[in-house]
Amino acid sequence: MKARVNEGCISCGACVAACPEVFRFNDDGIAEAFADIAPEYEKPAAEARDGCPVSVIDIEE
């Protein structure tokens, strides 16, 4: 599975806090997905997506 953070990220950090194994801040302070979602991180990644206040995270299989 792969995650993607679309334009519109407000740098709140909710995704980074929920799943730091998949999400991090880039040099511009914007969240990005830097790793594929391993099976053990599917639930935290989905929680990161669902908790995003601006709904900019997509998860693809």
Side-chain angles (χ1 to χ4, degrees):
M1 296 180 76
K2 293 186 179 213
R4 185 179 73 200
V5 180
N6 301 312
E7 283 186 39
C9 175
I10 60 171
S11 303
C12 71
C15 60
V16 177
C19 192
E21 297 82 8
V22 175
F23 300 98
R24 68 177 174 200
F25 288 112
N26 65 21
D27 292 338
D28 295 325
I30 304 296
E32 65 180 1
F34 71 96
D36 289 344
I37 303 169
E40 62 267 29
Y41 300 123
E42 289 178 5
K43 185 176 179 184
E47 290 171 356
R49 177 198 59 211
D50 296 344
C52 178
V54 290
S55 301
V56 295
I57 299 173
D58 291 326
I59 295 178
E60 303 169 353
E61 293 195 37

Coordinates of all heavy atoms in Angstrom, one line a residue:
M1 N 0.8 -1.2 0.0 CA 0.0 0.0 0.0 C 0.9 1.2 0.0 O 2.0 1.2 0.5 CB -0.9 0.0 1.2 CG -1.9 -1.1 1.3 SD -2.9 -1.0 2.8 CE -4.0 0.3 2.3
K2 N 0.4 2.3 -0.6 CA 1.1 3.6 -0.6 C 0.2 4.7 -0.2 O -1.0 4.6 -0.4 CB 1.5 3.9 -2.1 CG 2.6 2.9 -2.6 CD 3.1 3.3 -3.9 CE 4.1 2.3 -4.3 NZ 5.2 2.9 -5.1
A3 N 0.8 5.7 0.4 CA 0.1 6.9 0.9 C 0.6 8.1 0.1 O 1.7 8.0 -0.4 CB 0.2 7.1 2.4
R4 N -0.2 9.1 0.0 CA 0.2 10.3 -0.7 C -0.5 11.5 0.1 O -1.7 11.4 0.4 CB -0.2 10.3 -2.1 CG 0.3 11.5 -2.9 CD -0.1 11.4 -4.4 NE -1.5 11.8 -4.4 CZ -2.3 11.5 -5.4 NH1 -1.9 10.8 -6.4 NH2 -3.6 11.8 -5.4
V5 N 0.3 12.5 0.3 CA -0.2 13.7 0.9 C -0.4 14.7 -0.3 O 0.6 15.1 -0.9 CB 0.7 14.3 2.0 CG1 0.1 15.6 2.5 CG2 0.9 13.3 3.1
N6 N -1.6 15.2 -0.5 CA -1.9 16.1 -1.6 C -1.6 17.5 -1.2 O -1.4 17.8 -0.1 CB -3.3 15.9 -2.1 CG -3.6 14.5 -2.5 OD1 -2.9 13.9 -3.3 ND2 -4.7 13.9 -2.0
E7 N -1.7 18.4 -2.2 CA -1.6 19.8 -1.9 C -2.7 20.2 -0.9 O -3.8 19.6 -0.9 CB -1.9 20.6 -3.2 CG -0.7 20.7 -4.1 CD -0.9 21.6 -5.3 OE1 -1.5 22.7 -5.1 OE2 -0.5 21.2 -6.4
G8 N -2.4 21.2 -0.2 CA -3.4 21.7 0.8 C -3.0 21.3 2.3 O -3.7 21.6 3.2
C9 N -1.9 20.6 2.4 CA -1.4 20.2 3.8 C -1.2 21.5 4.6 O -0.6 22.4 4.1 CB -0.1 19.4 3.7 SG 0.6 19.0 5.3
I10 N -1.7 21.5 5.8 CA -1.5 22.7 6.6 C -0.4 22.5 7.7 O -0.3 23.3 8.6 CB -2.9 23.1 7.3 CG1 -3.4 21.9 8.2 CG2 -3.9 23.5 6.2 CD1 -4.6 22.3 9.0
S11 N 0.3 21.4 7.6 CA 1.5 21.2 8.5 C 1.0 21.0 10.0 O 1.8 21.4 10.9 CB 2.5 22.3 8.4 OG 3.0 22.4 7.0
C12 N -0.1 20.4 10.2 CA -0.6 20.3 11.6 C 0.2 19.2 12.3 O 0.2 19.2 13.5 CB -2.1 20.0 11.6 SG -2.6 18.4 11.0
G13 N 0.7 18.2 11.6 CA 1.4 17.1 12.2 C 0.6 15.9 12.7 O 1.1 15.0 13.3
A14 N -0.7 15.9 12.4 CA -1.5 14.8 12.9 C -1.1 13.5 12.3 O -1.0 12.5 13.0 CB -3.0 15.1 12.6
C15 N -0.8 13.5 11.0 CA -0.4 12.2 10.3 C 1.0 11.8 10.8 O 1.2 10.6 11.1 CB -0.4 12.4 8.8 SG 0.7 13.6 8.2
V16 N 1.9 12.7 11.1 CA 3.2 12.4 11.6 C 3.1 11.8 13.0 O 3.8 10.8 13.3 CB 4.1 13.6 11.5 CG1 5.5 13.3 12.1 CG2 4.3 14.1 10.1
A17 N 2.2 12.3 13.8 CA 2.1 11.8 15.1 C 1.4 10.5 15.1 O 1.7 9.6 15.9 CB 1.2 12.8 16.0
A18 N 0.4 10.3 14.2 CA -0.3 9.0 14.2 C 0.5 7.9 13.6 O 0.3 6.7 14.0 CB -1.6 9.2 13.4
C19 N 1.4 8.2 12.6 CA 2.1 7.1 11.9 C 3.4 7.6 11.4 O 3.6 7.8 10.2 CB 1.3 6.5 10.8 SG 1.9 5.0 10.1
P20 N 4.4 7.8 12.3 CA 5.7 8.3 11.9 C 6.5 7.3 11.1 O 7.5 7.7 10.4 CB 6.4 8.6 13.2 CG 5.8 7.7 14.2 CD 4.3 7.6 13.8
E21 N 6.1 6.1 11.0 CA 6.7 5.1 10.1 C 6.4 5.3 8.7 O 7.1 4.8 7.8 CB 6.3 3.7 10.5 CG 6.6 3.3 11.9 CD 5.7 3.8 13.0 OE1 4.6 4.3 12.6 OE2 6.0 3.6 14.2
V22 N 5.4 6.1 8.4 CA 5.0 6.4 7.0 C 5.1 7.9 6.6 O 5.5 8.2 5.5 CB 3.6 5.8 6.7 CG1 3.1 6.2 5.3 CG2 3.5 4.3 6.9
F23 N 4.8 8.7 7.6 CA 4.7 10.2 7.3 C 5.8 10.9 8.1 O 6.2 10.6 9.2 CB 3.4 10.7 7.8 CG 2.2 10.1 7.1 CD1 1.5 9.1 7.7 CD2 1.8 10.5 5.8 CE1 0.4 8.4 7.0 CE2 0.8 9.9 5.1 CZ 0.1 8.9 5.7
R24 N 6.3 12.0 7.5 CA 7.3 12.9 8.1 C 7.1 14.3 7.5 O 6.4 14.4 6.5 CB 8.7 12.4 7.9 CG 9.1 12.5 6.4 CD 10.5 12.0 6.2 NE 10.9 12.0 4.8 CZ 11.9 11.3 4.3 NH1 12.7 10.6 5.1 NH2 12.1 11.3 3.0
F25 N 7.8 15.3 8.0 CA 7.8 16.6 7.5 C 9.0 16.7 6.5 O 10.1 16.2 6.8 CB 7.9 17.7 8.5 CG 6.7 17.8 9.4 CD1 6.7 17.5 10.7 CD2 5.5 18.4 8.8 CE1 5.5 17.7 11.5 CE2 4.4 18.5 9.6 CZ 4.4 18.2 10.9
N26 N 8.8 17.3 5.3 CA 9.9 17.6 4.4 C 10.6 18.8 4.8 O 10.3 19.5 5.8 CB 9.4 17.6 3.0 CG 8.5 18.7 2.6 OD1 8.4 19.7 3.3 ND2 7.7 18.6 1.6
D27 N 11.6 19.2 4.1 CA 12.4 20.4 4.4 C 11.5 21.7 4.4 O 11.9 22.7 5.0 CB 13.5 20.6 3.4 CG 14.6 19.5 3.6 OD1 14.6 18.9 4.7 OD2 15.3 19.2 2.6
D28 N 10.4 21.7 3.7 CA 9.5 22.9 3.7 C 8.5 22.9 4.8 O 7.6 23.8 4.9 CB 8.8 23.0 2.3 CG 9.8 23.2 1.2 OD1 10.8 23.9 1.4 OD2 9.5 22.7 0.1
G29 N 8.5 21.9 5.7 CA 7.6 21.8 6.8 C 6.2 21.2 6.4 O 5.3 21.3 7.1
I30 N 6.2 20.6 5.2 CA 4.9 20.0 4.7 C 5.0 18.5 4.9 O 6.1 17.9 4.7 CB 4.7 20.3 3.2 CG1 4.7 21.8 3.0 CG2 3.4 19.6 2.7 CD1 3.6 22.6 3.6
A31 N 3.9 17.9 5.4 CA 3.9 16.4 5.6 C 4.1 15.7 4.2 O 3.5 16.2 3.2 CB 2.7 16.0 6.3
E32 N 4.7 14.6 4.3 CA 4.9 13.7 3.1 C 4.9 12.3 3.5 O 5.2 11.9 4.6 CB 6.1 14.1 2.3 CG 7.4 13.7 3.0 CD 8.7 14.1 2.3 OE1 8.6 14.6 1.1 OE2 9.8 13.8 2.8
A33 N 4.5 11.4 2.6 CA 4.6 10.0 2.8 C 5.9 9.6 2.3 O 6.2 9.8 1.1 CB 3.4 9.2 2.2
F34 N 6.8 9.0 3.1 CA 8.1 8.7 2.7 C 8.4 7.2 2.5 O 9.5 6.8 2.1 CB 9.2 9.3 3.6 CG 9.3 8.7 5.0 CD1 10.2 7.7 5.2 CD2 8.4 9.1 6.0 CE1 10.3 7.2 6.5 CE2 8.5 8.5 7.2 CZ 9.5 7.5 7.5
A35 N 7.4 6.4 2.9 CA 7.6 4.9 2.9 C 6.3 4.3 2.5 O 5.2 4.8 2.7 CB 8.1 4.4 4.2
D36 N 6.4 3.1 1.8 CA 5.3 2.3 1.6 C 4.7 1.9 2.9 O 5.4 1.8 3.9 CB 5.6 1.1 0.7 CG 5.9 1.4 -0.7 OD1 5.6 2.5 -1.1 OD2 6.5 0.6 -1.4
I37 N 3.4 1.6 2.9 CA 2.7 1.2 4.2 C 2.9 -0.3 4.3 O 2.3 -1.1 3.6 CB 1.2 1.6 4.1 CG1 1.1 3.1 3.9 CG2 0.6 1.1 5.4 CD1 -0.3 3.5 3.6
A38 N 3.7 -0.7 5.3 CA 3.8 -2.2 5.6 C 2.5 -2.6 6.3 O 1.8 -1.8 6.9 CB 5.0 -2.3 6.6
P39 N 2.2 -3.9 6.2 CA 1.0 -4.4 6.8 C 0.8 -4.0 8.3 O -0.3 -3.7 8.7 CB 1.1 -6.0 6.7 CG 2.0 -6.1 5.5 CD 3.0 -5.0 5.5
E40 N 1.8 -4.0 9.0 CA 1.7 -3.7 10.5 C 1.3 -2.2 10.7 O 0.9 -1.8 11.8 CB 2.9 -4.1 11.3 CG 4.2 -3.4 10.9 CD 5.0 -4.1 9.8 OE1 4.4 -4.9 9.0 OE2 6.2 -4.0 9.8
Y41 N 1.5 -1.4 9.6 CA 1.2 0.1 9.8 C -0.1 0.5 9.0 O -0.4 1.7 8.9 CB 2.4 0.9 9.3 CG 3.6 0.6 10.1 CD1 4.8 0.2 9.5 CD2 3.6 0.7 11.5 CE1 5.9 -0.1 10.2 CE2 4.8 0.4 12.2 CZ 5.9 0.0 11.6 OH 7.0 -0.3 12.3
E42 N -0.8 -0.5 8.5 CA -2.0 -0.1 7.8 C -3.1 0.6 8.6 O -3.6 1.6 8.2 CB -2.7 -1.4 7.1 CG -1.9 -1.9 6.0 CD -2.4 -3.2 5.4 OE1 -3.5 -3.6 5.8 OE2 -1.8 -3.7 4.5
K43 N -3.3 0.1 9.9 CA -4.2 0.7 10.7 C -3.8 2.1 11.2 O -4.6 3.1 11.0 CB -4.5 -0.2 12.0 CG -5.6 0.4 12.9 CD -5.9 -0.5 14.0 CE -7.0 0.1 14.9 NZ -7.3 -0.7 16.0
P44 N -2.5 2.3 11.6 CA -2.1 3.7 12.0 C -2.2 4.7 10.8 O -2.5 5.8 10.9 CB -0.7 3.6 12.5 CG -0.5 2.1 12.8 CD -1.5 1.4 12.0
A45 N -1.8 4.2 9.6 CA -1.9 5.0 8.4 C -3.3 5.4 8.1 O -3.6 6.6 7.7 CB -1.2 4.3 7.2
A46 N -4.2 4.5 8.2 CA -5.6 4.8 8.0 C -6.1 5.8 9.0 O -6.9 6.7 8.7 CB -6.5 3.5 8.0
E47 N -5.7 5.6 10.3 CA -6.0 6.6 11.3 C -5.5 8.0 11.0 O -6.1 9.0 11.2 CB -5.6 6.1 12.7 CG -6.3 4.9 13.2 CD -5.8 4.3 14.4 OE1 -4.7 4.7 14.9 OE2 -6.4 3.3 14.9
A48 N -4.3 8.0 10.4 CA -3.7 9.3 10.0 C -4.5 10.0 8.9 O -4.8 11.2 9.0 CB -2.2 9.1 9.5
R49 N -4.9 9.2 8.0 CA -5.8 9.7 6.9 C -7.1 10.2 7.4 O -7.5 11.3 7.1 CB -6.1 8.6 5.9 CG -7.0 9.0 4.7 CD -7.6 7.9 4.0 NE -8.3 7.0 4.9 CZ -8.5 5.7 4.8 NH1 -7.9 5.1 3.7 NH2 -9.1 5.0 5.6
D50 N -7.7 9.4 8.3 CA -9.0 9.8 8.8 C -9.0 10.9 9.8 O -9.9 11.7 9.9 CB -9.7 8.6 9.6 CG -9.9 7.4 8.6 OD1 -10.0 7.6 7.4 OD2 -10.1 6.3 9.1
G51 N -7.8 11.1 10.4 CA -7.7 12.2 11.3 C -7.2 13.5 10.7 O -7.1 14.6 11.4
C52 N -6.9 13.5 9.4 CA -6.4 14.7 8.8 C -7.5 15.8 8.7 O -8.6 15.5 8.1 CB -5.9 14.4 7.3 SG -5.3 15.8 6.4
P53 N -7.3 16.9 9.3 CA -8.3 17.9 9.4 C -8.7 18.6 8.0 O -9.7 19.2 7.9 CB -7.8 19.0 10.3 CG -6.3 18.8 10.3 CD -6.0 17.4 10.0
V54 N -7.8 18.4 7.0 CA -8.1 19.0 5.7 C -8.2 17.9 4.6 O -8.3 18.2 3.4 CB -7.0 20.0 5.3 CG1 -7.2 21.3 6.2 CG2 -5.6 19.5 5.4
S55 N -8.2 16.6 5.0 CA -8.5 15.5 4.1 C -7.6 15.5 2.9 O -8.1 15.4 1.7 CB -10.0 15.5 3.7 OG -10.8 15.4 4.8
V56 N -6.3 15.6 3.1 CA -5.4 15.6 1.9 C -4.6 14.3 1.8 O -3.6 14.3 1.0 CB -4.4 16.8 2.0 CG1 -5.2 18.1 1.9 CG2 -3.6 16.8 3.2
I57 N -4.9 13.3 2.5 CA -4.2 12.0 2.5 C -5.0 11.0 1.7 O -6.1 10.7 2.0 CB -3.8 11.5 3.9 CG1 -3.0 12.5 4.6 CG2 -3.2 10.1 3.8 CD1 -2.7 12.1 6.1
D58 N -4.3 10.4 0.7 CA -4.9 9.3 -0.1 C -4.1 8.0 0.2 O -2.8 8.1 0.3 CB -4.8 9.5 -1.6 CG -5.7 10.7 -2.0 OD1 -6.8 10.8 -1.4 OD2 -5.4 11.4 -3.0
I59 N -4.8 6.9 0.3 CA -4.1 5.6 0.5 C -4.5 4.7 -0.7 O -5.7 4.6 -0.9 CB -4.4 5.0 1.8 CG1 -3.8 5.8 3.0 CG2 -3.9 3.6 1.9 CD1 -4.1 5.3 4.4
E60 N -3.5 4.2 -1.4 CA -3.8 3.3 -2.5 C -3.2 1.9 -2.2 O -2.2 1.8 -1.6 CB -3.1 3.8 -3.8 CG -3.5 5.2 -4.1 CD -2.7 5.9 -5.2 OE1 -1.7 5.2 -5.6 OE2 -3.0 7.0 -5.6
E61 N -3.9 0.9 -2.7 CA -3.4 -0.5 -2.6 C -2.5 -0.8 -3.7 O -2.5 -0.3 -4.7 CB -4.6 -1.5 -2.5 CG -5.3 -1.2 -1.2 CD -6.2 -2.4 -0.8 OE1 -5.9 -3.5 -1.1 OE2 -7.3 -2.1 -0.3

